Amino acid sequence: MKVQCNNLTKRYYTKTAVDHINLTFEPGHIYALLGPNGSGKSTLMKMISGLTTQNDGEILFDGEKQTWRNKGDVAYAPTEAFFFSYMTIKNVAEYYDDFFADFDRTLFQKLLQEMDLREEMKIKSLSSGMLAKMKIAVTLSRRAKMILLDEPLNGIDLMSRDAIIKTIIGYAPEDGCVVISSHMVEELEKTVDYAIFMREGSIAYETDVEELREKETKSIVDKYREIYSGEVA
Amino acid sequence: MEFKSNTPIYLQVIEDIKSRILSGEIKPGDKLPSSRELAVQYDINPNTAARIYSEMERMGLSYTKRGIGTFVAETTDTLDSMKEEALHKVLSEFFDAMKSMGYDEASMVSELKKFISKK
Amino acid sequence: MFKTMKYELMKNRVPIFVMLGILAVLECLFLYENYFDFENVGISIVLLILTGGAVSFWILINGLVMFSRDFNNKSGYLVYMTPQPAVKIITAKILTAFFTGVAFMVGYFLLGVLDVQLLISKGHQMAEQMSGNTAKVFESDMASFAQFLDVLLSEKTILSIGKAGFIMIVEVFFILTVAYFAISLSNTLLRGHKLQGLISFVLFIVLCAFFNYIANMVLPDYDFSVMLGEDGVVVNSINLFSAAGIINLVYSVGLGVLAMFGSAYLIENKIDL
C-alpha cells in the first residue's frame, strides 16, 4: 500500500508539531524517521495511524483520502506501554484478534517463541526489553500494509535490540511499508533503505541510504551529524 | 559481519560472498539463501539483499532458476578471474609496502623466498 | 462497538466482582440476622443500604475514571487505534458505564423488595410468639410495613417509579456525557497538570450550571418531584409525556449526544493521546 502525505500540518494550539510535510511511503521499503525529540516524528505517525486529525493537508492510502477505516490498514506501536494493566500477553493477542482482521495468531505465536516470551506472562511484570519485543511481535503479527514503530529501540538492552531488528528484517511485509522512528541512528544503519530526517516539524532531508553511501560516501550517522550539527540530539 | 557504514552495504556483502567462494566455503553450483534469509543472515535490509543478488547476477557470479532460487555460477572463468583479482590485490599491497620500506625488486623476491623456505 | 464495551467491562471485572462480593456477604449477614438474630437485623439493613448506594455511585464515577485514565496511562492508544470512528468508541464507553450502573440499580431495587418481604414474613412469625401489648405493637408495625410494600408494588406506584427512573436515567446519561466532555476539554490544554482532576470537576459543574441556566431561560417549566402521598409514592409533575416534559427530555438527551460528539472531536483533533 502506498501512503502519501500532502502538505500535512498539525497544530496543537500555539505549537506547530508538523509543518506542511510532503512524503510518500512505497510498499516493500523500510524507512527510518529520524530527528531529535520534538521534531514531529510521533505526531506524523499518529496522523497516519488515524489517532489524530491534521489541520491542513491530506493523507492518501493508495490514492484514496484517509478515513477511519484506514485504521485497519495501519499497525502502530507507540513508544510507551499502551496495554491495559490487567492484561497478559494472551489477553493482548485476543484483543488484537477481536479488533484487527489482519492479525495472524499463528505468526504471533511463532514470534513469541523466537523472542523467548510466553503467552501467560503478565504485561505489568515484563522487563522493558521484553515489553519492547512484545510490542514488535504483536504489531508485526498484524499483516498490515503500513507498520509504524515509534522508538522501538528506546531504553532497552543490546540483546533485545538485536532480537527486534532481526524480527523486523525477517518479517517486514513485502507489500507493505515499515516506518521506524528513532533518535538512535546507528542501530538502524543496516536495517533501513530509506532515511527521512525531520527538524522542527519539517523534512530536513530524505535519501535512499545506499545511494547516500555510494554518492557521498556517507553513513546515515554522518548525514545526521551534518544536518543537526550544533543542535542537541 | 562488521560493516563500514559509509560505503554501500551491498558491495561489502558481495565482497564477503566472493571471499567465501574463493575460500571454498561456498562452492560453484551451491544454492544461495533466499534474499530474505540473506537479509537475516547479514542483518541487512531485505531490499539491499535483493539488490545483492541482482548485482551478483550482473557480474556473472550467480544465476537464478525461476521459482527455485539463486545459485553460485559454475563457469570456471568467473572463478578464475575472481582468483586473479584477489591475487593481484594481495601482491600489489605487498609490493607497495615493501617499496615504501626501501626494498628493491631483487631483494623483495629474495626476502619472499627466504620467508617461504622457513614456513 | 460491542467489542469495545466487552473490554470496558473486562477492565473493571475485578472491582465489580469485589463489590458484588461485599454485597453478597452483607446479604448473607442480613439473611442470618433475619432468621437467627432478629433483634440486630437493623445493622445489616443499614449496611446494605449504604453499601448499595456507594456501589451505584462508584460505578458511575468509575466510568469517568476509566475514561480519564486512557489519557494518562497511554492505554488510550489501544482503545482508539481500533478501526472505528472515535465517537463510536466513546459511545461504547459511556454505554458500558451507563448500563452497568442501571443494571446494578434495578437488581439492587429488586433485591431490596425481596428482602423486605422476607423481613415481614419473619416479623409475623415473631409476633405470634409474643404476648400482650408487645405483640400488638409489633404486629401493627409489620402490617404498616406490608402495606407500604403493597403500595410500593402497586401498578400505579411502579408506573410512577418507572417514570421517575426514566427521568433519572436520562439525567444520568446527561451527567455522564457532560462529564466526559469536561474531562476531554481539560485534557486538551492541561494534560498532566497537578490539578487536572479538580479542573475537570469545576468545568463539569460550570457546564451543568450553564446548560441548566439555558434550560430555565428557554424551555417550558417542568416541575418534577417525587413524594409520598396517601396512596404511596407518587411522581408529582406535569405529565412526563406532555409537550413540556418531552422538550426537556429531548434537550437533555440532545445535549448528551452533542457532548459525545464534542468529546470525539476533541480526541481526534485536539488531544495528543
Side-chain angles (χ1 to χ4, degrees):
Chain A
M1 180 169 266
K2 182 167 150 181
V3 178
Q4 281 168 281
C5 306
N6 297 332
N7 254 326
L8 206 57
T9 301
K10 179 70 190 177
R11 287 181 293 268
Y12 288 110
Y13 296 93
T14 52
K15 198 186 132 223
T16 303
V18 167
D19 198 358
H20 295 93
I21 274 184
N22 290 295
L23 274 177
T24 303
F25 297 101
E26 300 276 0
H29 291 274
I30 304 181
Y31 294 82
L33 193 58
L34 306 168
N37 289 328
S39 51
K41 304 182 302 263
S42 291
T43 306
L44 177 61
M45 286 192 165
K46 284 179 210 172
M47 279 191 278
I48 295 171
S49 53
L51 286 166
T52 191
T53 312
Q54 65 273 19
N55 297 95
D56 239 325
E58 58 179 8
I59 301 173
L60 304 178
F61 284 78
D62 276 340
E64 305 269 339
K65 272 200 174 185
Q66 182 187 34
T67 70
W68 61 264
R69 276 172 227 282
N70 293 116
K71 285 192 204 174
D73 298 320
V74 183
Y76 170 53
T79 180
E80 301 93 346
F82 61 103
F83 304 109
F84 302 144
S85 54
Y86 76 85
M87 282 179 152
T88 60
I89 290 180
K90 191 170 178 219
N91 292 141
V92 175
E94 285 161 354
Y95 188 92
Y96 272 64
D97 228 359
D98 266 349
F99 281 105
F100 301 107
D102 55 10
F103 184 68
D104 181 342
R105 189 86 186 248
T106 322
L107 174 61
F108 181 64
Q109 256 136 11
K110 190 174 166 204
L111 291 185
L112 283 186
Q113 211 165 33
E114 285 179 17
M115 300 220 215
D116 285 326
L117 295 168
R118 287 187 314 280
E119 281 210 321
E120 64 273 14
M121 289 175 165
K122 285 212 84 169
I123 296 288
K124 256 197 290 190
S125 50
L126 295 181
S127 69
S128 58
M130 288 158 107
L131 182 69
K133 288 196 283 189
M134 156 69 198
K135 284 197 290 192
I136 292 296
V138 78
T139 308
L140 284 178
S141 295
R142 279 189 60 192
R143 306 262 192 182
K145 300 293 165 55
M146 182 75 182
I147 293 175
L148 304 173
L149 310 172
D150 199 355
E151 300 276 2
L153 307 172
N154 216 356
I156 58 168
D157 60 289
L158 191 68
M159 297 310 287
S160 302
R161 256 186 253 169
D162 287 350
I164 284 173
I165 287 187
K166 268 243 185 310
T167 311
I168 295 173
I169 290 170
Y171 296 94
E174 269 161 43
D175 55 348
C177 329
V178 178
V179 184
I180 310 169
S181 86
S182 184
H183 58 259
M184 291 195 267
V185 189
E186 278 110 307
E187 272 82 1
L188 298 181
E189 198 78 65
K190 299 181 293 174
T191 315
V192 302
D193 53 358
Y194 208 86
I196 299 161
F197 298 82
M198 286 187 77
R199 182 206 281 134
E200 286 165 20
S202 306
I203 307 297
Y205 191 73
E206 52 175 313
T207 181
D208 180 298
V209 179
E210 288 283 73
E211 213 174 283
L212 176 73
R213 295 188 185 108
E214 204 148 29
K215 289 193 177 147
E216 300 188 35
T217 1
K218 276 180 186 150
S219 65
I220 307 181
V221 174
D222 296 336
K223 199 70 193 176
Y224 192 95
R225 290 218 176 89
E226 181 186 312
I227 291 170
Y228 302 101
S229 61
E231 292 174 34
V232 184
Chain B
M1 169 181 173
E2 283 297 318
F3 289 96
K4 278 162 76 183
S5 53
N6 61 356
T7 49
I9 304 268
Y10 80 95
L11 290 178
Q12 298 180 59
V13 175
I14 291 175
E15 282 309 309
D16 189 63
I17 294 176
K18 268 191 194 169
S19 72
R20 286 165 66 196
I21 294 174
L22 280 179
S23 75
E25 188 192 330
I26 307 174
K27 292 176 185 63
D30 274 3
K31 187 174 182 296
L32 290 163
S34 74
S35 64
R36 180 73 73 146
E37 284 162 2
L38 185 77
V40 174
Q41 218 174 76
Y42 282 92
D43 266 333
I44 55 169
N45 180 280
N47 279 320
T48 311
R51 181 168 178 191
I52 287 164
Y53 282 157
S54 64
E55 289 290 330
M56 278 176 59
E57 197 163 342
R58 214 175 44 79
M59 294 157 90
L61 288 171
S62 69
Y63 65 96
T64 310
K65 277 190 203 160
R66 201 174 299 168
I68 302 177
T70 305
F71 296 83
V72 180
E74 283 161 84
T75 46
T76 44
D77 43 326
T78 48
L79 197 65
D80 289 346
S81 72
M82 262 166 59
K83 248 183 189 159
E84 208 168 289
E85 194 186 308
L87 176 71
H88 183 261
K89 199 176 155 202
V90 171
L91 288 181
S92 68
E93 272 167 18
F94 172 77
F95 181 79
D96 290 346
M98 293 297 275
K99 207 172 163 189
S100 73
M101 286 188 283
Y103 290 92
D104 62 12
E105 281 164 36
S107 50
M108 273 185 218
V109 174
S110 63
E111 285 299 324
L112 190 61
K113 273 185 179 159
K114 236 197 274 177
F115 179 78
I116 291 169
S117 68
K118 272 187 201 160
K119 272 235 144 179
Chain C
M1 197 167 97
F2 291 111
K3 286 177 193 161
T4 304
M5 291 175 78
K6 175 179 123 189
Y7 281 97
E8 284 299 303
L9 270 181
M10 292 257 280
K11 272 191 266 184
N12 286 317
R13 58 179 201 254
V14 175
I16 286 177
F17 281 133
V18 168
M19 304 236 178
L20 290 181
I22 294 173
L23 276 179
V25 168
L26 290 176
E27 176 66 17
C28 289
L29 181 68
F30 165 78
L31 290 175
Y32 171 79
E33 287 179 343
N34 191 43
Y35 290 112
F36 304 108
D37 190 12
F38 198 73
E39 296 195 349
N40 290 322
V41 77
I43 299 174
S44 54
I45 292 177
V46 170
L47 283 177
L48 264 176
I49 291 172
L50 288 180
T51 314
V55 172
S56 325
F57 189 65
W58 175 84
I59 289 175
L60 295 181
I61 294 294
N62 186 58
L64 302 177
V65 172
M66 298 300 298
F67 181 64
S68 169
R69 197 179 289 164
D70 284 342
F71 301 120
N72 296 328
N73 73 6
K74 300 288 172 189
S75 60
Y77 287 125
L78 195 58
V79 175
Y80 294 101
M81 69 164 53
T82 56
Q84 325 171 65
V87 71
K88 267 198 176 176
I89 296 170
I90 291 179
T91 308
K93 283 171 144 314
I94 290 180
L95 288 185
T96 311
F98 181 71
F99 282 133
T100 327
V102 168
F104 176 78
M105 283 184 237
V106 169
Y108 186 63
F109 176 77
L110 294 178
L111 180 73
V113 169
L114 183 74
D115 283 352
V116 173
Q117 270 170 341
L118 291 175
L119 185 74
I120 291 168
S121 73
K122 179 66 186 173
H124 283 305
Q125 280 177 30
M126 299 287 288
E128 278 165 24
Q129 290 160 19
M130 293 176 193
S131 58
N133 219 23
T134 344
K136 248 183 218 164
V137 173
F138 198 76
E139 187 65 60
S140 84
D141 276 357
M142 284 303 130
S144 58
F145 246 155
Q147 196 200 352
F148 171 71
L149 197 65
D150 280 347
V151 170
L152 191 68
L153 293 177
S154 74
E155 201 180 324
K156 195 175 167 196
T157 320
I158 291 283
L159 206 66
S160 297
I161 291 178
K163 280 183 189 173
F166 184 69
I167 291 173
M168 202 177 83
I169 284 171
V170 169
E171 286 311 310
V172 166
F173 174 74
F174 173 77
I175 285 171
L176 267 176
T177 50
V178 172
Y180 264 45
F181 185 69
I183 292 170
S184 307
L185 209 54
S186 81
N187 265 297
T188 59
L189 275 175
L190 297 159
R191 186 65 177 286
H193 193 284
K194 259 191 295 186
L195 298 174
Q196 202 194 327
L198 180 69
I199 291 161
S200 299
F201 183 69
V202 171
L203 265 173
F204 166 69
I205 298 293
V206 168
L207 284 170
C208 283
F210 175 72
F211 291 141
N212 265 324
Y213 178 74
I214 299 281
N216 287 336
M217 297 284 285
V218 180
L219 300 182
D221 251 358
Y222 180 61
D223 173 37
F224 165 77
S225 60
V226 183
M227 52 185 286
L228 204 60
E230 274 188 23
D231 52 349
V233 185
V234 176
V235 177
N236 177 23
S237 70
I238 300 172
N239 184 359
L240 182 62
F241 299 106
S242 69
I246 288 172
I247 288 172
N248 275 278
L249 287 178
V250 167
Y251 177 76
S252 292
V253 173
L255 270 181
V257 171
L258 269 183
M260 284 195 331
F261 275 93
S263 298
Y265 172 82
L266 290 176
I267 286 169
E268 281 180 335
N269 290 279
K270 298 289 176 198
I271 297 177
D272 186 10
L273 274 178

